[in-house]
Amino acid sequence: MDSRDKVLDQYSSKLYKNRKEHVIQIEDGESNVIAADTRAIPGIMTNRGCCYAGCKGVVIGPLKDVVQIVHGPIGCSYYAWGTRRNKAKGDENTKNFLEYCFSTDMQETDIVFGGEKKLKKAIKEAVEIFDPACIMIASTCPVGLIGDDIHAVAAEAEEMYNIKVVAFSCEGYKGVSQSGGHHIANNGLMKNVIGTGDAKPVKYSINLLGEYNIGGDGWEICRVLKRIGYNIVSVMTGDGSYAEMKNAHTADLNLVQCHRSINYIAEMLKTKYGTEWLKVNFIGIEGIKQSLRDVAAFFNDPALTAKTEAVIADEEEEIAIGMVYYKSMLKDKTAAIYVGGSRTHHYINLLKSLGVEVILAGYEFAHRDDYEGRQVLPLKMDADSKNIESITVVKDPAKYRTFHTEERIKELKEAGLPIESYDGLWADIADKAMITDDYNQFETEAFLKLLKPDIFFSGIKDKYIVQRSGVPSRQLHSYDYSGPYAGFKGALNFARDVTLAVNTPAFSLVQAPWKSEPTLIGNLGGM
Ligand code: CFM
Ligand code: HCA
């Protein structure tokens, strides 16, 4: 029996039928189809979050100059404020409200008699105390259930206080995961914020989309981009602001780091303003180099191309000795990696370049295109045909590199075709790796026992369970308060943290107390 069957055979037939579509072992050369973005079965300890987490917690959460009022119970408010690592700096022109958790703190009486009055009062209070240029309101589950009209309240407040007030109906129960919330946030920002500024366009300007500045990643990426000579119009949304985002429509190009959470804005900007977008990956040396070269190829200016190569050479040299050392310490190690959407495939490349093979992987809420990648290939390259067919490619690394080459960008430009690019898990993962979609506690523990990776990357929900079982863990959502991990310098930080984790014997020396004595019976006996 292979390890997949050993784990899934423990389920009832109903569960087995569902989960077998979400758990596959990669076969090179096969189509490797996996079911994704479907409802989790009640009772399964899924790692997923909710729609509200995706909208308020993830996409709008990092906007520093916005007072974000959560209309709902204090627990939901605190969760989406306190757990994600939103790093931001205010300056003399930009207010930073991220240290405050704004909530209507809904109580039973508000549920029974309606909460709109309380929301209006909260907005008034926020305006009087903080004088923000923009307020955003996010609903939690009860708001949808009792029917408070947050959009009407927002419209009224906008008029009354002459500021921007945007409401997001992102009740937690909507959709199947955080993913629905990303979409709602993207639509709201596009409709109400992007395009409302009046800044003049500048040369070589870009927006960095889907970069949330966890551990300072966004700052490190922007440092390198600015060194080359690009002007960053906005970052969506890490250390981002309402003030910058209003002018995002003026940029020449959109770079998309996390495609899963923000592809909607990239596509809407393309449709509405004709802005091209490129999928980038600033995690891992090869990804960064390819991404920087793609951007230079887009602008097609010899001076910029030369500067790109000079910056790459310089940045690479700075980390070279350290990378060789860490690589020697990580040789032949194996890893498991489970993150929400994009990070799983982003980090596989970095691990590969350090000699670490990923044998177990998956996502919480990815869609099929995050697994499979997608190449948008024009069927005919002749000038009269503008037909584009999107095709899903099976795992075939030779055909599969979805970042563009310089020639490819030129071809697409000449044919007047969009320059979109995609990448996904199948392109990077090793043959025979075990993949689980919408991963859950039971399967994670069972596969860990069977496959015994040297290190486990995921989030806070599983970290301590895994460490208690003797396997070192690093969080890839929060970076365990380390970072940045993006960019050249970030790759070195990551290599150091992984080396320390893998080569620290502490976790294998830990013996859980219940392994040597029956703790429950002991405690009851003493009562
Ligand atoms: Fe994109 Fe993210 Fe991710 Fe994501 Fe998230 Fe996150 Fe994540 Mo946590 S936006 S999909 S909804 S890269 S919060 S910064 S770490 S699950 S893999
Ligand atoms: C979320 C946010 C989260 C959770 C991280 C974790 C984040 O999904 O609501 O489980 O460790 O990155 O903060 O993904």
Side-chain angles (χ1 to χ4, degrees):
M1 207 190 262
D2 63 23
S3 31
R4 176 179 183 263
D5 292 341
K6 273 188 196 148
V7 174
L8 297 192
D9 273 0
Q10 299 179 57
Y11 281 139
S12 66
S13 57
K14 196 174 164 206
L15 276 185
Y16 178 87
K17 204 163 152 243
N18 176 284
R19 289 302 297 163
K20 78 176 185 356
E21 310 292 334
H22 295 270
V23 180
I24 67 166
Q25 185 159 24
I26 288 292
E27 293 293 340
D28 208 356
E30 297 299 316
S31 61
N32 294 311
V33 176
I34 195 161
D37 191 31
T38 63
R39 297 193 78 78
I41 298 182
I44 277 206
M45 292 280 279
T46 172
N47 265 262
R48 281 177 171 173
C50 64
C51 176
Y52 157 79
C55 177
K56 159 67 181 84
V58 173
V59 180
I60 65 170
L63 292 170
K64 59 189 168 190
D65 58 349
V66 176
V67 166
Q68 301 179 27
I69 302 177
V70 172
H71 191 29
I74 196 68
C76 302
S77 318
Y78 184 81
Y79 171 78
W81 170 78
T83 55
R84 193 146 170 271
R85 236 185 130 195
N86 293 328
K87 284 167 88 75
K89 285 182 196 145
D91 56 36
E92 61 278 10
N93 302 316
T94 324
K95 290 181 180 167
N96 182 359
F97 301 122
L98 293 191
E99 284 177 10
Y100 296 93
C101 173
F102 300 94
S103 172
T104 54
D105 183 22
M106 266 185 147
Q107 304 290 314
E108 212 171 329
T109 45
D110 306 314
I111 305 289
V112 176
F113 298 108
E116 287 176 16
K117 271 194 267 135
K118 209 171 187 188
L119 178 60
K120 286 181 193 174
K121 207 168 150 240
I123 295 172
K124 182 171 183 283
E125 215 177 306
V127 170
E128 283 166 5
I129 301 173
F130 297 98
D131 186 26
C134 177
I135 291 181
M136 290 184 184
I137 303 159
S139 325
T140 56
C141 295
V143 173
L145 297 175
I146 65 174
D148 275 0
D149 189 346
I150 59 167
H151 300 276
V153 174
E156 189 189 293
E158 196 162 279
E159 203 148 287
M160 195 181 290
Y161 303 114
N162 197 23
I163 56 169
K164 178 62 86 184
V165 185
V166 189
F168 295 86
S169 290
C170 55
E171 287 82 355
Y173 55 73
K174 281 185 175 164
V176 303
S177 67
Q178 287 95 317
S179 187
H182 301 149
H183 205 156
I184 290 169
N186 282 208
N187 287 346
L189 295 174
M190 189 68 198
K191 195 167 157 213
N192 298 291
V193 179
I194 296 168
T196 59
D198 52 14
K200 297 268 166 297
V202 287
K203 221 177 158 194
Y204 300 139
S205 56
I206 50 188
N207 296 310
L208 183 54
L209 271 62
E211 172 42 62
Y212 300 95
N213 201 32
I214 305 300
D217 275 358
W219 291 332
E220 181 55 17
I221 296 168
C222 289
R223 182 187 67 77
V224 176
L225 289 169
K226 283 181 191 159
R227 239 191 115 181
I228 295 172
Y230 298 112
N231 292 301
I232 319 279
V233 179
S234 72
V235 180
M236 295 186 207
T237 51
D239 192 23
S241 66
Y242 164 69
E244 279 176 2
M245 201 186 278
K246 286 197 294 187
N247 294 310
H249 62 295
T250 65
D252 297 322
L253 178 66
N254 290 319
L255 305 185
V256 181
Q257 170 72 15
C258 170
H259 180 261
R260 177 68 277 126
S261 60
I262 212 154
N263 67 79
Y264 318 99
I265 287 184
E267 283 175 15
M268 286 184 280
L269 277 167
K270 167 80 186 154
T271 310
K272 193 164 173 192
Y273 299 101
T275 323
E276 298 288 359
W277 61 270
L278 275 177
K279 176 83 186 70
V280 287
N281 180 14
F282 289 113
I283 307 288
I285 310 300
E286 291 315 309
I288 307 164
K289 282 162 45 178
Q290 181 70 53
S291 301
L292 292 177
R293 287 177 178 143
D294 284 353
V295 183
F298 174 84
F299 285 102
N300 197 20
D301 173 328
L304 206 64
T305 307
K307 188 73 208 262
T308 302
E309 293 306 326
V311 169
I312 289 176
D314 189 49
E315 295 273 337
E316 238 188 331
E317 200 196 319
E318 214 177 301
I319 61 163
I321 296 173
M323 289 303 270
V324 170
Y325 170 70
Y326 293 129
K327 208 172 159 183
S328 74
M329 297 291 285
L330 291 171
K331 199 169 172 302
D332 298 329
K333 299 291 181 198
T334 57
I337 176 164
Y338 284 113
V339 209
S342 303
R343 286 174 188 244
T344 300
H345 59 268
H346 283 159
Y347 277 91
I348 285 175
N349 283 314
L350 177 50
L351 286 164
K352 216 192 286 179
S353 71
L354 291 166
V356 179
E357 191 188 351
V358 175
I359 54 173
L360 176 62
Y363 307 97
E364 287 171 33
F365 51 75
H367 295 204
R368 286 272 300 267
D369 58 1
D370 300 303
Y371 288 97
E372 295 163 354
R374 185 154 71 105
Q375 275 182 322
V376 179
L377 293 174
L379 277 181
K380 291 181 197 154
M381 287 299 292
D382 54 301
D384 359 301
S385 173
K386 291 268 169 7
N387 282 341
I388 306 163
E389 174 132 314
S390 74
I391 55 160
T392 302
V393 196
V394 294
K395 183 174 167 55
D396 178 355
K399 279 197 247 153
Y400 204 87
R401 220 27 291 159
T402 45
F403 289 112
H404 291 314
T405 59
E406 202 170 325
E407 294 79 64
R408 179 94 188 113
I409 288 179
K410 221 169 126 208
E411 267 173 14
L412 291 170
K413 264 187 175 172
E414 277 167 17
L417 291 163
I419 307 187
E420 298 153 18
S421 61
Y422 297 78
D423 73 340
L425 185 59
W426 287 182
D428 303 309
I429 194 93
D431 193 24
K432 305 291 176 221
M434 189 65 65
I435 311 295
T436 65
D437 172 70
D438 180 12
Y439 72 99
N440 62 57
Q441 206 93 81
F442 165 70
E443 286 166 24
T444 305
E445 283 183 60
F447 278 123
L448 273 180
K449 278 190 195 129
L450 285 167
L451 303 175
K452 299 185 175 53
D454 294 302
I455 183 162
F456 185 85
F457 296 100
S458 81
I460 196 70
K461 294 166 200 151
D462 2 53
K463 179 177 179 81
Y464 297 103
I465 299 169
V466 171
Q467 278 191 180
R468 274 188 220 117
S469 75
V471 180
S473 138
R474 292 293 305 169
Q475 294 185 62
L476 276 191
H477 297 261
S478 66
Y479 303 164
D480 285 290
Y481 327 108
S482 177
Y485 285 166
F488 296 92
K489 290 191 202 301
L492 192 66
N493 288 339
F494 178 77
R496 179 203 58 215
D497 289 352
V498 177
T499 302
L500 284 173
V502 168
N503 294 289
T504 303
F507 300 109
S508 54
L509 298 175
V510 173
Q511 167 80 267
W514 56 86
K515 287 201 170 157
S516 51
E517 56 174 303
T519 49
L520 185 62
I521 293 169
N523 287 341
L524 288 175
M527 274 169 83

